Amino acid sequence: GAVVSQHPSWVICKSGTSVKIECRSLDFQATTMFWYRQFPKQSLMLMATSNEGSKATYEQGVEKDKFLINHASLTLSTLTVTSAHPEDSSFYICSASYGGGSPLHFGNGTRLTVT
Amino acid sequence: AQKITQTQPGMFVQEKEAVTLDCTYDTSDPSYGLFWYKQPSSGEMIFLIYQGSYDQQNATEGRYSLNFQKARKSANLFISASQLGDSAMYFCAMREALNSGYSTLTFGKGTMLLVSP
């Protein structure tokens, strides 16, 4: 089955620093990847849609200057949390699909803690 | 209005018993897909089962089956013979506008399932 790899699985950083999270589709090409954020005991909230070779589409309320998304190839999308603050601490998870009605396959997520 | 509604915050079931997790959805799009995902405490999202809006038969995958009631807009997940490893959060999700090329998933709030020995 389709595999999506996300790295790192957890990261602790100091307030004010930036953190990059990678999302790779290992055995298929994903023209579109999605980035979600999940707070404890809550559902997944879509942050942005990442399109290969073009600008990401951000959901309302998500700061695009804070959460930089780059989809440089058909198998790699990155999310950079810039100038992280404690309120950015969360579980970030990416997903990708072949398109159409195929299921989204998720990475294992990244647990970010900002101290 | 919520697009996906899961009314059961938590469910308890004994091992080897069956359980149904409820999900209702709201869409005016004729082409959509319904998904169930399992999220254990480790955090990964595990795809369980998919039902397309035009599928005539209910989807089944091993111990999982999806009870698709299109007129009632419900897509309940049935798990037969629960196992201890089934303890996890379960999310119902919907993907609309399937013919548009791509679209994201909208998730319900989830149901925490606890399976006891």
Side-chain angles (χ1 to χ4, degrees):
Chain A
V3 177
V4 176
S5 173
Q6 188 171 340
H7 179 81
S9 54
W10 60 271
V11 59
I12 301 172
C13 71
K14 289 188 176 180
S15 189
T17 60
S18 296
V19 174
K20 181 186 282 189
I21 302 169
E22 291 188 348
C23 180
R24 294 180 184 272
S25 56
L26 296 185
D27 53 358
F28 66 100
Q29 293 185 331
T31 54
T32 304
M33 291 185 177
F34 305 95
W35 287 95
Y36 289 86
R37 181 174 184 176
Q38 186 181 31
F39 290 107
K41 297 185 180 179
Q42 292 190 23
S43 188
L44 281 71
M45 298 300 295
L46 179 67
M47 297 176 67
T49 302
S50 167
N51 302 295
E52 188 267 335
S54 65
K55 290 183 179 180
T57 304
Y58 290 82
E59 294 299 300
Q60 195 171 11
V62 177
E63 299 175 58
K64 57 184 176 184
D65 293 333
K66 180 164 193 61
F67 298 100
L68 299 178
I69 290 173
N70 185 284
H71 195 152
S73 75
L74 287 171
T75 58
L76 174 64
S77 176
T78 60
L79 168 68
T80 301
V81 183
T82 62
S83 186
H85 289 99
E87 57 266 29
D88 298 325
S89 298
S90 189
F91 187 66
Y92 295 87
I93 190 164
C94 71
S95 68
S97 81
Y98 317 133
S102 62
L104 288 185
H105 296 277
F106 286 82
N108 285 344
T110 298
R111 200 164 300 279
L112 170 64
T113 302
V114 184
T115 62
Chain B
Q2 280 190 338
K3 287 191 177 250
I4 297 286
T5 303
Q6 293 180 255
T7 57
Q8 306 154 314
M11 290 285 285
F12 294 90
V13 66
Q14 271 200 311
E15 198 177 6
K16 298 179 185 175
E17 289 186 349
V19 64
T20 297
L21 306 183
D22 294 340
C23 173
T24 57
Y25 61 93
D26 183 28
T27 182
S28 57
D29 197 320
S31 179
Y32 55 91
L34 297 159
F35 303 79
W36 278 92
Y37 284 85
K38 170 184 176 182
Q39 187 180 40
S41 57
S42 54
E44 75 252 45
M45 294 289 284
I46 301 168
F47 166 70
L48 296 178
I49 197 165
Y50 166 79
Q51 180 86 42
S53 57
Y54 295 118
D55 294 342
Q56 296 294 319
Q57 296 196 339
N58 288 341
T60 60
E61 289 287 348
R63 294 185 299 112
Y64 304 107
S65 60
L66 196 152
N67 185 4
F68 183 44
Q69 304 275 324
K70 195 170 183 176
R72 297 175 61 184
K73 292 189 175 179
S74 75
N76 298 341
L77 177 70
F78 177 80
I79 305 175
S80 63
S82 298
Q83 301 172 355
L84 295 178
D86 293 338
S87 293
M89 181 72 87
Y90 288 78
F91 290 101
C92 180
M94 177 171 64
R95 202 171 188 189
E96 297 172 284
L98 297 184
N99 297 327
S100 68
Y102 72 88
S103 59
T104 187
L105 286 176
T106 302
F107 286 88
K109 293 190 175 184
T111 296
M112 175 64 78
L113 176 65
L114 291 177
V115 181
S116 60

